[in-house]
Amino acid sequence: MPPLGASAGEPRAKAAFRVAHVLIAVALAALASALFLTLSVVDNKYAKPGPQGINGILYLNDAEMGDQAIHYLCDGWAFYPDQLLAPDTLDTAGADALRYISLGQYGNFSMDDNRRSPHGSGTYVMTLHLPDERRAYALNIPEVYSAYELYIDDELVVSLGNPHADGYVDAIGEQTVAFEGSGTVTLLFAVSDYSYVYGGMTHPVALGNPQAIATVREARIGAAAATECMTLLLGLLALALAVAVREKRAETGLFALLCAATAVFISYPIVRGLFVLPAQPWYTLEIVSGYVAVLLVIAICNTLCETSRAAKRASVLTAGAFCLIAVAFSISAPLLSKNAITLFSMAAFCFKLAAAAYLLLCAAQRIGRTGRIHPMLFASVLYAASVIGDRLIPQYEPIVGGWFMEWGCLGLVLATGISLTSMIASGYQRGLSLAAQRRAMEQQIAVQSEHLRQTAAWEEVQRTARHDFRQHLNLIAALARENRTTELTAYLENMDATSRTTSSTLAHLCDHVELNALLNHYRSVARDRSIDFTAHVAVPQSIPIGAVDLCIVVGNLLENAFEACAHRMRRANDAENENGNGREAREGEGEHIHETSDNANAENVRYSVLIAAEMAGDLLVIVIDNEPADEPRLRDGQLLSSKREGWGIGLSSVHDTVKSLGGTLSIEYAEERFSVSLYLPTLPSTRENIG
């Protein structure tokens, strides 16, 4: 049986809720998979149409080498492992060692043979048969690990680092080489690596018109730069927002670090495209930054999704430990065997999948608690799809965009930023609400204190009056016995004036006890600030509107009115002081100053606040009128705060309270008078009609 108070439909609703979110997750996985499949076709060097080399030879005709044509030389390279050759020694290479491979088929010189070392040397050769007409061509050469010499025919055109064992120096960077050619042209790359886990030529070389090659290169670097700027800007904006609203500063600091780590992770097109650098420490930074980004996402997600303390500790420690393993792996790359590299690759794949699953679980738990879709659900599915896509589609290299893992990391950054911004905004709104509640409480305490002070003063007056009453009677009786009518009349008139003065200490401004106390408080404030305060209030005690709601509305509006008057008085005094200082300076220079009546009487101007309230049928009508501090700022008929964008805290509280009561609020500004009118229904039927 369902528990008491629970409906029989609740289990069905929860089951439907879970099924709906499972379907959403499946749909997201399908969309993410479609995205990466589309990228593997549209933005992939390996999928670019065009002829490929066969047995180290590639034929290209005039139509295939048009002005905008770019060919990615992926397949059919002649490869001589363990031999560092040059054009003059190529004929001496043993034919039994020759292999034909695709660039990217092997990640290093082990060629997937556990008995071979991942480090060593090799020579890659491609013979091009170009159109007979001599023309300009360009080669775009991505990173080659980790030092190489490029010969075009018999000419050495690029030497990056030193690939020779006796003077090996690593140097990695993207290079673009222009040359003129026709007929048969031979490309020969002599490559060595003793520095990193990758070795040899692992990325396709682009061949085409120099202008077309430059355009694609600039587009790739530009896209990477735009992504870098966006990522770093997100981190800076988050920091500025956290400092401004003083919410979630620790999480925002982590998010800024996440943006910085992601920027490093996706920076290689810019770094490798513009600079030639050694393998270390740059590749260590690039690889480890990706795992650090995952660590930071997990740490932030733990807070945003309110996971348990044990889950937080376990997830962060696991991710942190793997980051340390990645650092050790990358630094010790020259010493690693093929088996060690394969083991780390499998461990990295499992770690990324586990991280995606953990983030998905955190998002699902958060959705179950709140009933709202969490952005981390989208990001975790996208990240998982990027990890799987990176494994299932190994022959992928973007032409302009980013790698699958980069898309996944950017998704995590965006989802984390959206979630964090939403939480900061919610915290800020809660802060505003608490500030409004605090102001209301302070106002109530001030009203209570003023009421107690006035009551105590009144009681003191009454005690004094009772104490003196006998003396008054004796004096009156004596004057009456002596028929001193003139003195008796004067004495009685004096007593009446004294009675009127003392009775004004606590005025009866309306029948509603709580509202009367609030009005007396502002009556006292008006007296202290020299503001004319007029109250025509006819509100009965039996009105069916809560005293708290009524006092919040009236109190906030009166507070705003008194602040406006005080602001105008300060501004008038400042203007008078400035005029006085200017007048003294000019008088010191011998000028004669005529004082205008406005300036002369600025300090004598009194500002006024008027409140009127009465019942009009089933409506309570309240009007508060005063001089505004400045000309009000209106947007779509709504008053904007002079202190911040949007409603002020007081007006926001008034607006929410009036709306909850089913009433309406009207604001008018005419002839330098600011007027707020409220229409509050007192019966449910009236509220429905107004709503």
Side-chain angles (χ1 to χ4, degrees):
M1 292 180 62
L4 292 176
S7 65
E10 285 186 4
R12 292 182 181 178
K14 291 181 179 179
F17 180 79
R18 288 193 292 268
V19 170
H21 285 88
V22 169
L23 292 177
I24 290 173
V26 172
L28 290 174
L31 289 174
S33 300
L35 168 65
F36 294 124
L37 286 174
T38 302
L39 290 174
S40 69
V41 175
V42 175
D43 189 37
N44 186 3
K45 294 179 180 179
Y46 291 97
K48 192 74 172 176
Q52 290 293 324
I54 299 175
N55 295 336
I57 301 173
L58 174 61
Y59 290 89
L60 296 168
N61 56 37
D62 287 317
E64 293 165 343
M65 292 306 298
D67 291 340
Q68 300 302 318
I70 296 178
H71 290 274
Y72 294 97
L73 311 181
C74 303
D75 301 330
W77 284 81
F79 177 57
Y80 299 87
D82 303 322
Q83 299 184 59
L84 203 61
L85 303 174
D88 57 347
T89 60
L90 182 60
D91 293 337
T92 65
D96 56 342
L98 174 63
R99 298 188 181 188
Y100 297 103
I101 65 170
S102 299
L103 299 186
Q105 179 179 350
Y106 303 116
N108 50 52
F109 288 112
S110 69
M111 295 183 292
D112 293 339
D113 186 347
N114 293 333
R115 295 169 300 178
R116 291 177 56 87
S117 169
H119 309 291
S121 302
T123 302
Y124 302 78
V125 181
M126 176 69 74
T127 300
L128 305 175
H129 288 270
L130 300 175
D132 293 334
E133 180 184 356
R134 190 171 183 83
R135 66 179 68 174
Y137 297 96
L139 288 173
N140 180 258
I141 309 164
E143 304 98 300
V144 176
Y145 303 96
S146 295
Y148 71 95
E149 293 175 342
L150 166 61
Y151 295 87
I152 298 180
D153 289 333
D154 295 330
E155 181 182 359
L156 177 63
V157 294
V158 176
S159 179
L160 209 61
N162 186 349
H164 300 281
D166 54 352
Y168 173 78
V169 176
D170 58 31
I172 303 175
E174 179 183 332
Q175 297 290 298
T176 299
V177 179
F179 67 96
E180 291 186 352
S182 62
T184 302
V185 175
T186 301
L187 306 178
L188 185 149
F189 289 84
V191 186
S192 293
D193 170 73
Y194 300 98
S195 306
Y196 200 53
V197 293
Y198 296 117
M201 297 180 69
T202 60
H203 304 289
V205 175
L207 169 67
N209 177 275
Q211 183 61 43
I213 292 288
T215 299
V216 172
R217 179 177 181 273
E218 291 169 0
R220 178 144 175 75
I221 292 177
T227 308
E228 286 278 306
C229 292
M230 182 199 72
T231 305
L232 295 174
L233 184 61
L234 281 176
L236 293 176
L237 288 177
L239 282 177
L241 181 62
V243 171
V245 303
R246 300 179 182 178
E247 288 282 343
K248 299 292 179 183
R249 291 188 175 182
E251 291 79 7
T252 307
L254 291 177
F255 180 72
L257 291 176
L258 168 62
C259 291
T262 304
V264 173
F265 181 61
I266 64 177
S267 66
Y268 75 92
I270 302 173
V271 175
R272 300 302 178 189
L274 301 179
F275 306 101
V276 175
L277 300 169
Q280 297 293 357
W282 306 109
Y283 270 97
T284 297
L285 287 175
E286 182 183 317
I287 285 186
V288 174
S289 62
Y291 297 111
V292 170
V294 175
L295 166 63
L296 293 170
V297 169
I298 290 174
I300 298 172
C301 183
N302 282 332
T303 299
L304 298 181
C305 296
E306 299 177 355
T307 56
S308 66
R309 181 177 299 179
K312 289 179 182 178
R313 183 180 297 111
S315 60
V316 171
L317 288 177
T318 301
F322 196 85
C323 289
L324 295 177
I325 293 173
V327 172
F329 168 79
S330 186
I331 291 176
S332 60
L335 307 176
L336 296 176
S337 65
K338 171 65 171 59
N339 289 333
I341 294 174
T342 302
L343 180 62
F344 179 82
S345 177
M346 294 176 59
F349 174 71
C350 294
F351 168 75
K352 294 170 187 175
L353 271 186
Y358 178 77
L359 294 174
L360 183 62
L361 179 61
C362 291
Q365 290 180 342
R366 179 68 176 175
I367 292 171
R369 287 195 299 268
T370 62
R372 294 191 300 271
I373 294 293
H374 197 278
M376 196 54 68
L377 175 67
F378 299 88
S380 56
V381 171
L382 179 67
Y383 185 73
S386 71
V387 174
I388 296 173
D390 189 62
R391 180 67 61 167
L392 296 182
I393 311 177
Q395 281 200 324
Y396 173 76
E397 181 168 337
I399 299 173
V400 175
W403 297 82
F404 292 161
M405 290 303 304
E406 294 174 7
W407 286 98
C409 279
L410 287 174
L412 292 177
V413 171
L414 289 176
T416 305
I418 292 171
S419 302
L420 187 59
T421 302
S422 176
M423 185 164 285
I424 290 174
S426 298
Y428 182 64
Q429 289 295 330
R430 285 194 299 270
L432 290 180
S433 177
L434 290 173
Q437 294 177 16
R438 179 183 177 87
R439 289 182 57 182
M441 291 179 62
E442 291 175 348
Q443 187 182 78
Q444 292 177 13
I445 292 172
V447 169
Q448 296 262 353
S449 300
E450 178 63 20
H451 185 67
L452 290 173
R453 187 190 66 78
Q454 293 179 353
T455 301
W458 174 250
E459 289 179 353
E460 181 64 27
V461 169
Q462 293 300 316
R463 278 197 299 271
T464 303
R466 287 193 298 271
H467 181 270
D468 295 339
F469 187 64
R470 183 180 298 277
Q471 302 303 323
H472 290 306
L473 289 179
N474 291 335
L475 182 55
I476 291 171
L479 292 174
R481 284 195 298 270
E482 297 175 4
N483 292 323
R484 296 169 61 180
T485 307
T486 303
E487 289 84 350
L488 178 58
T489 302
Y491 186 75
L492 291 174
E493 289 176 351
N494 183 54
M495 286 185 62
D496 181 61
T498 303
S499 175
R500 291 178 183 274
T501 302
T502 56
S503 64
S504 65
T505 303
L506 185 63
H508 179 80
L509 301 178
C510 74
D511 294 334
H512 195 282
V513 175
E514 291 84 358
L515 186 57
N516 185 68
L518 181 68
L519 294 175
N520 268 280
H521 165 71
Y522 281 103
R523 176 171 169 265
S524 175
V525 172
R527 185 170 57 246
D528 294 339
R529 298 184 181 180
S530 299
I531 296 174
D532 291 333
F533 179 60
T534 304
H536 300 294
V537 180
V539 178
Q541 181 67 41
S542 59
I543 188 172
I545 296 178
V548 173
D549 291 334
L550 189 60
C551 290
I552 285 176
V553 169
V554 174
N556 276 301
L557 292 177
L558 285 177
E559 182 179 20
N560 288 345
F562 276 89
E563 285 183 356
C565 290
H567 181 77
R568 292 196 65 162
M569 293 170 70
R570 287 193 300 270
R571 192 168 58 185
N573 290 334
D574 292 341
E576 175 65 17
N577 292 334
E578 290 179 2
N579 290 338
N581 293 335
R583 182 169 57 251
E584 290 175 1
R586 292 193 297 274
E587 286 176 349
E589 295 174 359
E591 294 185 22
H592 181 68
I593 304 301
H594 293 280
E595 187 177 85
T596 64
S597 59
D598 288 342
N599 289 337
N601 297 322
E603 61 182 6
N604 297 322
V605 175
R606 292 180 64 88
Y607 297 98
S608 62
V609 175
L610 166 68
I611 177 172
E614 64 177 359
M615 296 296 302
D618 295 333
L619 288 176
L620 172 61
V621 181
I622 302 174
V623 178
I624 296 178
D625 182 272
N626 64 279
E627 292 96 347
D630 298 289
E631 183 173 346
R633 297 190 301 148
L634 298 175
R635 181 186 298 166
D636 298 329
Q638 293 186 347
L639 178 70
L640 300 181
S641 171
S642 61
K643 305 173 185 176
R644 59 183 62 84
E645 287 298 320
W647 291 92
I649 296 176
L651 275 176
S652 178
S653 178
V654 170
H655 179 266
D656 293 342
T657 304
V658 170
K659 184 178 180 181
S660 69
L661 294 174
T664 59
L665 181 149
S666 173
I667 298 173
E668 296 180 1
Y669 175 71
E671 299 180 358
E672 296 190 357
R673 297 292 297 181
F674 180 73
S675 178
V676 179
S677 301
L678 305 176
Y679 303 90
L680 304 179
T682 58
L683 296 178
S685 59
T686 310
R687 295 176 185 175
E688 292 176 1
N689 292 333
I690 291 181

